[in-house]
Amino acid sequence: MPGALDGVRILDMTRVLAGPYATMILGDLGADVIKVEAPGGSDDTRFWGPPFQNGMSAYYTAVNRNKRSITVNLKEEKGKNIIRHLAKTADVVIHNFKTGTMEKLGLDYDHLSSINSRLIYCSITGFGETGPYRHLPGYDYIIQAMSGWMSINGTASSGPLKVGVAITDVFTGLYAAIAIQAALLAREKTGRGQKIDLSLFDSAISALVNVAANYLMSGNVPTPLGNEHPNIVPYSTYEASDGPIVIAVGNDRQFQAFCGLLSDPTIGTDPRFQTNPSRVAFREELNRRINEEVKKRTRAEWQRLLAEKGIPCGPVQNLEQLFQHPQTLARDMVITMKHEKVGSLQLVGSPLKLSDTKISYRLPPPLAGEHNDEIIREIMNETGEDV
């Protein structure tokens, strides 16, 4: 069967991570994604490396499959007109220019929706299109700092730490994909498109979930806990005899089952550890004693014993171990795509597993302007106008 979004055309005027991640998801679902860049390629990730493979950066390949590429000079009126022509037959326009840029170009929602009233127009900015920070650029690192994310990562001794991937970009890309699909569904009812105003800042705040809820309810400012959980104990990284393992005990029943595996019976009978709120209060003492017990067995032994008791656990793996793991391979989370000039590319597969409208990998990450002639011919055929 065709993909879930087969027949949907997306004009992708984004670069770097949040926008390209969103449009790759939509492309995997079957949408026709046209990636727009300046002549020569203006997506910064094309040049972020090493590693490179035949001139193409790994960073760029991570979020740009299932797209066609056209290069357009938006400094000239001819270039702007190409975008207007594309907007006539597009279902979605998505961009991540700074607030006000598209208005200056005459390519904002009001202008393009007057050409195509069914157009869905998604704006991704650092801080949104309203508020005192609306004109500031958005960078994941800055957003992690300002949104509170860095304040809850790390330990008391390390100080604030960022997450090891540009996580607020990823959140925003996911929210963008959700919002665009919701707008497509709404259009089926109303016949009209609409504008979506997304920001990295808002997305990062939303993704604080229970940590934000804890603060809003209690007024207590959370402190960094390293690998521990603010609401649940024991729920942390412990050192087995051959390396670190995460053990996540979710309730009192699991705690008693866990204690049955320990050689120190007093842990399970200690009145301070009988309920989760009490274990949270005495987390340092409990975690110290548990760590002494965990050191007595290997990670494989703990995995087997804990699995028998229904207690979640897992070893801390590096990426080499991850991509060789049988579960990773069984879930098709590593794919291979071939580009005639770049060669065979190994990429992370999609986590979306749909039974009927399956994910498809049709196009490898494109070179800048790789589909210029093809796309221009399509516009002329579809609009009947000279471009």
Side-chain angles (χ1 to χ4, degrees):
M1 289 186 65
L5 296 180
D6 184 60
V8 173
R9 174 171 287 173
I10 297 173
L11 190 55
D12 179 7
M13 301 179 70
T14 67
R15 55 216 181 279
V16 187
L17 184 50
Y21 188 53
T23 53
M24 183 183 72
I25 293 170
L26 300 172
D28 286 352
L29 289 165
D32 173 21
V33 180
I34 299 176
K35 184 178 179 70
V36 180
E37 296 178 76
S42 53
D43 189 330
D44 292 337
T45 64
R46 290 186 181 277
F47 315 104
W48 287 359
F52 294 93
Q53 181 172 314
N54 292 326
M56 184 175 283
S57 77
Y59 200 127
Y60 171 78
T61 68
V63 289
N64 282 291
R65 66 169 171 253
N66 281 337
K67 302 178 186 182
R68 298 187 291 164
S69 172
I70 185 172
T71 50
V72 177
N73 185 354
L74 295 179
K75 295 179 180 179
E76 295 184 359
E77 195 61 27
K78 290 180 181 179
K80 297 173 191 176
N81 280 331
I82 289 175
I83 299 301
R84 296 183 184 111
H85 281 292
L86 282 168
K88 288 181 181 180
T89 61
D91 296 282
V92 179
V93 168
I94 177 171
H95 78 85
N96 62 353
F97 289 102
K98 286 197 300 182
T99 298
T101 300
M102 293 296 269
E103 285 77 6
K104 292 177 182 177
L105 292 171
L107 300 174
D108 53 292
Y109 174 66
D110 288 342
H111 279 85
L112 296 186
S113 64
S114 68
I115 297 171
N116 178 1
S117 64
R118 291 174 56 82
L119 187 67
I120 292 155
Y121 188 99
C122 181
S123 162
I124 297 178
T125 57
F127 294 91
E129 297 193 358
T130 58
Y133 278 31
R134 65 187 179 278
H135 292 299
L136 293 183
Y139 297 92
D140 172 84
Y141 202 169
I142 307 303
I143 301 298
Q144 286 201 42
M146 293 185 63
S147 66
W149 268 83
M150 287 180 64
S151 76
I152 61 172
N153 285 304
T155 64
S157 59
S158 73
L161 291 177
K162 72 179 183 69
V163 179
V165 69
I167 197 71
T168 69
D169 276 320
V170 173
F171 294 148
T172 308
L174 292 170
Y175 281 126
I178 293 167
I180 288 168
Q181 290 176 90
L184 287 168
L185 282 173
R187 192 180 68 177
E188 292 300 304
K189 303 172 186 176
T190 67
R192 300 188 309 274
Q194 61 181 298
K195 183 178 180 180
I196 300 165
D197 172 11
L198 270 176
S199 81
L200 274 67
F201 189 61
D202 297 349
S203 299
I205 295 171
S206 173
L208 287 168
V209 287
N210 64 296
V211 175
N214 289 346
Y215 167 74
L216 292 172
M217 180 176 287
S218 69
N220 296 323
V221 177
T223 56
L225 295 172
N227 291 332
E228 296 184 26
H229 195 287
N231 304 103
I232 311 171
V233 177
Y235 202 101
S236 187
T237 305
Y238 302 93
E239 284 292 331
S241 63
D242 60 346
I245 185 171
V246 170
I247 299 174
V249 176
N251 55 49
D252 295 340
R253 179 190 58 78
Q254 287 184 352
F255 178 69
Q256 288 302 323
F258 176 52
C259 289
L261 301 173
L262 308 179
S263 59
D264 182 355
T266 65
I267 295 176
T269 58
D270 193 313
R272 297 174 298 174
F273 307 148
Q274 295 307 299
T275 67
N276 183 69
S278 184
R279 291 194 293 274
V280 170
F282 294 98
R283 71 165 68 234
E284 290 188 18
E285 170 68 10
L286 176 57
N287 278 329
R288 182 188 63 78
R289 293 173 66 177
I290 288 175
N291 218 41
E292 290 300 317
E293 292 290 311
V294 173
K295 288 178 182 177
K296 297 174 182 179
R297 291 190 173 105
T298 66
R299 295 192 293 182
E301 289 177 296
W302 279 117
Q303 281 188 276
R304 178 178 58 80
L305 292 169
L306 292 168
E308 291 172 357
K309 299 291 185 180
I311 299 170
C313 71
V316 177
Q317 299 186 137
N318 61 33
L319 264 63
E320 181 179 33
Q321 294 166 327
L322 167 68
F323 285 116
Q324 292 176 355
H325 197 283
Q327 184 66 21
T328 305
L329 301 176
R331 296 291 290 173
D332 297 322
M333 289 308 296
V334 180
I335 65 166
T336 300
M337 299 190 78
K338 293 183 179 179
H339 191 289
E340 62 178 20
K341 293 186 178 179
V342 180
S344 182
L345 294 165
Q346 280 200 306
L347 305 172
V348 174
S350 172
L352 304 177
K353 317 295 184 187
L354 287 76
S355 62
D356 290 340
T357 53
K358 296 181 184 296
I359 292 293
S360 62
Y361 305 113
R362 306 175 306 283
L363 297 169
L367 301 176
E370 185 173 334
H371 305 95
N372 277 357
D373 292 343
E374 173 184 314
I375 294 168
I376 292 296
R377 282 197 302 269
E378 284 182 13
I379 300 171
M380 294 174 67
N381 290 336
E382 290 170 3
T383 65
E385 298 170 354
D386 186 28
V387 179

